[in-house]
């Protein structure tokens, strides 16, 4: 029996990492995370001082400095009781949360703190000395303790802060030691990710990983001004809702908290008056199943198979569903031929199924609710699309008259690959024809057979079940229909402005 999906989020904050420096360094763990999702710049807003206190407050509360009122690294006078951080809001809502940090105002009353007012669990390791070595040691201990908690316990939303990079820049400037500190922070990120992936329940969980920085630095070290280097920060994200290489709209620091809420399926209360919004993420391509997904042909196929099966002396039951729904003509014919024990040649069964189904499609097929609007939305957004189906080419040509052949850059039918669904080859062929990595593709399917093919190809999947129920599992969204997908895409487009 499928296990209920468990959505989790981990935010790793690495203080003071210049984007231009990061891009020329070897940071394999952050690079891999970005490759499976995205890494994009974010500019500190004009009214926000380029200091750690204001920037981190904006990142974790989801509101701007005018609301949270953290104007410097002295948090005195803040309004964090009115606009608390995401770990506190989630804890108050009954969700398990965790924070690990070395910088005192984040988790203690030092300098007017704490920024994190009430998470469920806190790990604090203050640096023994306020120098590079002290901060490196603190980050090392914070990482070790956070890795332990992430492995042994079950926080649903976590924030881990690493401060050595920023302190190194302040003390030594943005030279070789600063670059080494960034590489060491990446190593610690790798240990945190490994701790999550080593969880006994990881296969039953859907994790969203976010890595963010708060501000940059001047060459000589230091920040607080309005130069490009100081104002440029960045956000990296990967997770079940973020295809690899995803196109992403304009990002703002206040969007991080909003994305955490979205990643946990926890809609924010309107009374929170968040300024942030979830990331507007677009897949690089959308690969669409046809039968039962875009057109109402799955019922026609079941009826056709049932009629032929009756004539062969094998009435169909629920036990036959897996061998019929989502299957190609040849697979279904083999199943009926074997189950019935008929003396008719297998080729004759194939031909009968083929002819009857084509005739039904030509006279009775209709687009499912939301199908034409979905295709129009994808076309308006400039997202490449492919039709990926287990039906033969003649059936597809008939359906294209209904859907519009111009809606698809590529069509892959049962006649175009050596193996069809549930084998991943059709989806791999479609992605290859579009020139897109399958991990960057969103597949839209209705049947377990098609979902198996798309997931085996490495695609993200949105399921819109038709004849057969589909369970939500980590990395797979189950929607009520195509209209819901249209609304999600249109909402993303509106967020991008």
């Amino acid at each position: 029996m499928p296990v209920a999906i468990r959505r989790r989020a981990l935010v790793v904050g690495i203080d003071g990492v210049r984007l231009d420096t990061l891009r020329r360094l070897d940071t394999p763990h952050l690079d891999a995370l970005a490759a499976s999702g995205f890494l994009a710049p974010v500019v500190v807003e004009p009214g926000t001082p380029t200091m750690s206190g204001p920037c981190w407050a904006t990142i974790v509360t989801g509101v701007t400095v005018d609301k949270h009122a953290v104007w410097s690294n002295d948090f005195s006078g803040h309004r964090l009781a009115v606009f608390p951080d995401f770990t506190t809001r989630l804890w108050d809502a009954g969700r398990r949360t965790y924070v690990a940090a070395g910088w005192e105002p984040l988790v203690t009353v030092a300098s007017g703190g704490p920024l994190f007012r009430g998470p469920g669990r806190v790990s604090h390791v203050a640096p023994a000395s306020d120098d590079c070595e002290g901060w490196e040691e603190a980050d090392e201990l914070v990482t070790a303790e956070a890795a332990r908690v992430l492995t042994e316990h079950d926080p649903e939303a976590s924030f881990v802060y690493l401060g050595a990079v920023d302190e190194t820049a302040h003390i030594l400037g943005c030279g070789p030691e600063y670059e080494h500190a960034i590489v060491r922070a990446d190593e610690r990120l790798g240990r945190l990710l490994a701790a999550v992936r080593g969880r006994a329940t990881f296969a039953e969980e859907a994790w969203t990983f976010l890595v963010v920085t708060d501000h940059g630095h001047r060459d000589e070290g230091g920040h607080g001004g309005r130069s490009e280097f100081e104002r440029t920060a960045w956000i990296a994200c990967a997770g079940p809702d973020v295809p690899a290489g995803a196109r992403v709209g304009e990002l703002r620091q206040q969007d991080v908290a909003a994305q955490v809420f979205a990643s946990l399926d926890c809609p924010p209360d309107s009374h929170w008056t968040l300024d942030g919004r979830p990331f507007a993420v677009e897949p690089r391509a959308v690969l669409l199943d046809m039968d039962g997904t875009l057109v109402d042909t799955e019922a026609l196929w079941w009826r056709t198979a049932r009629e032929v099966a009756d004539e062969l002396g094998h009435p169909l039951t629920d036990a036959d569903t897996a061998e019929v729904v989502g299957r190609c003509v040849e697979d279904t014919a083999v199943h009926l031929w074997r189950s019935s024990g008929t003396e008719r040649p297998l080729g004759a069964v194939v031909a009968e199924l083929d002819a009857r189904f084509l005739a039904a499609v030509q006279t009775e097929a209709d687009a499912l609710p939301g199908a034409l609007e979905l295709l129009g939305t994808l076309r308006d957004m400039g997202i490449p699309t492919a039709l990926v189906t287990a039906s033969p080419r003649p059936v597809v040509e008939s359906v294209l008259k209904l859907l519009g052949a111009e809606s698809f850059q590529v069509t892959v039918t049962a006649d175009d690959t050596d193996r069809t669904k549930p084998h991943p080859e059709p989806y791999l062929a479609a992605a290859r024809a579009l020139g897109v990595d399958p991990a960057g593709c969103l597949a839209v399917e209705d049947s377990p057979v098609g979902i198996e093919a798309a997931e085996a190809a490495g695609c993200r999947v949105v399921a819109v079940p038709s004849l057969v129920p589909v369970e939500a599992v980590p990395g797979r969204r189950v929607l009520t229909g195509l209209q819901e997908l249209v609304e999600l895409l249109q909402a993303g487009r509106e967020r991008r402005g």
Side-chain angles (χ1 to χ4, degrees):
M1 185 174 181
V3 178
I5 190 171
R6 301 174 183 174
R7 297 177 74 84
R8 304 286 185 264
L10 169 63
V11 182
V12 179
I14 308 177
D15 204 313
V17 181
R18 275 176 48 159
L19 181 58
D20 63 320
T21 303
L22 179 65
R23 283 174 168 164
R24 66 173 181 263
L25 296 178
D26 182 18
T27 51
H29 303 291
L30 185 54
D31 293 345
L33 191 85
S36 61
F38 69 83
L39 190 154
V42 57
V43 177
V44 178
E45 294 189 352
T48 303
T50 56
M51 302 174 68
S52 295
C55 291
W56 287 121
T58 298
I59 288 167
V60 304
T61 64
V63 300
T64 59
V65 68
D66 292 333
K67 289 181 179 177
H68 62 63
V70 177
W71 293 99
S72 70
N73 289 346
D74 185 327
F75 287 52
S76 300
H78 64 70
R79 301 185 67 216
L80 297 172
V82 181
F83 301 103
D85 65 280
F86 69 83
T87 68
T88 298
R89 287 201 186 278
L90 288 167
W91 176 252
D92 289 344
R95 311 294 284 267
R96 295 178 299 278
T97 60
Y98 172 60
V99 174
W103 188 35
E104 292 184 338
L106 298 183
V107 290
T108 76
V109 296
S111 301
L115 171 57
F116 292 93
R117 294 179 59 78
R121 187 185 190 107
V122 174
S123 298
H124 174 226
V125 182
S129 55
D130 196 17
D131 54 23
C132 298
E133 292 76 13
W135 275 96
E136 287 287 351
E137 180 184 13
D139 278 3
E140 188 68 16
L141 294 172
V142 164
T143 300
E145 178 60 12
R148 186 189 68 80
V149 171
L150 290 168
T151 300
E152 299 176 3
H153 299 275
D154 190 25
E156 295 173 78
S158 304
F159 180 91
V160 179
Y161 171 86
L162 303 176
V165 174
D166 184 59
E167 294 301 324
T168 299
H170 280 295
I171 297 168
L172 300 175
C174 296
E177 286 304 318
Y178 174 70
E179 295 180 0
H180 294 158
I182 294 174
V183 171
R184 286 190 291 271
D186 180 71
E187 294 170 352
R188 292 175 181 127
L189 169 64
R191 285 158 51 195
L192 295 171
L193 297 176
V196 169
R197 292 165 179 154
R199 289 168 52 82
T201 53
F202 181 70
E204 303 161 6
E205 299 165 344
W207 281 80
T208 296
F209 299 111
L210 299 103
V211 186
V212 298
T213 200
D214 52 343
H215 54 70
H217 271 274
R218 298 185 297 273
D219 286 342
E220 68 275 17
H223 50 88
R226 305 307 300 171
S227 71
E228 181 180 355
F229 288 144
E230 292 166 276
R231 294 179 61 226
T232 301
W234 49 267
I235 297 171
C237 182
D241 307 317
V242 184
R247 301 191 298 186
V248 62
E250 180 184 2
L251 298 176
R252 305 167 305 163
Q253 292 186 322
Q254 57 265 35
D255 295 339
V256 172
Q259 182 60 41
V260 171
F261 295 129
S263 298
L264 296 181
D265 286 334
C266 179
D269 190 312
S270 60
H271 293 92
W272 297 353
T273 63
L274 293 189
D275 297 317
R277 55 203 180 194
F279 303 154
V281 176
E282 290 182 3
R284 294 183 60 199
V286 174
L287 315 180
L288 298 125
D289 173 55
M290 186 180 78
D291 300 299
T293 299
L294 294 178
V295 287
D296 190 15
T297 51
E298 206 71 274
L300 299 179
W301 175 239
W302 179 259
R303 188 186 73 192
T304 298
R306 188 185 64 224
E307 291 173 352
V308 173
D310 287 345
E311 294 172 5
L312 295 174
H314 175 70
L316 294 183
T317 68
D318 289 345
D320 298 288
T321 301
E323 302 299 329
V324 175
V325 176
R327 297 282 183 173
C328 66
V329 173
E330 289 77 11
D331 286 351
T332 299
V334 168
H335 173 68
L336 298 183
W337 185 73
R338 289 175 175 169
S339 300
S340 65
T342 182
E343 295 182 359
R344 293 180 62 183
L346 176 59
V349 179
V350 172
E352 186 67 22
L353 284 168
D354 226 345
R356 289 196 189 191
F357 183 52
L358 177 58
V361 170
Q362 290 173 334
T363 58
E364 300 179 56
D366 199 5
L368 285 164
L372 297 179
E373 187 176 0
L374 172 61
L375 294 174
T377 298
L378 293 170
R379 189 165 53 247
D380 292 345
M381 295 174 70
I383 299 177
T385 59
L387 189 67
V388 186
T389 176
S391 289
R393 176 64 64 178
V395 171
V396 173
E397 294 298 335
S398 178
V399 170
L400 287 176
K401 295 176 183 177
L402 184 66
L403 298 177
E406 71 281 358
S407 296
F408 306 97
Q409 285 72 51
V410 171
T411 58
V412 177
T413 76
D415 304 322
D416 298 325
T417 56
D418 293 335
R419 293 163 293 190
T420 189
K421 304 174 187 179
H423 196 276
E425 187 172 349
Y427 278 104
L428 293 172
R432 186 165 55 247
L434 290 172
V436 178
D437 187 318
C441 296
L442 179 69
V444 185
E445 272 281 358
D446 75 302
S447 71
V449 170
I451 291 169
E452 180 182 345
E455 290 180 341
C459 302
R460 309 277 176 167
V461 173
V462 164
V464 284
S466 57
L467 294 181
V468 181
V470 175
E471 296 288 341
V473 300
R476 179 197 305 162
R477 286 275 186 173
V478 179
L479 305 182
T480 57
L482 295 178
Q483 188 60 46
E484 187 177 354
L485 179 56
V486 171
E487 291 170 0
L488 290 171
L489 289 168
Q490 290 177 342
R493 180 168 56 178
E494 290 172 3
R495 290 197 299 271
R496 285 185 293 278

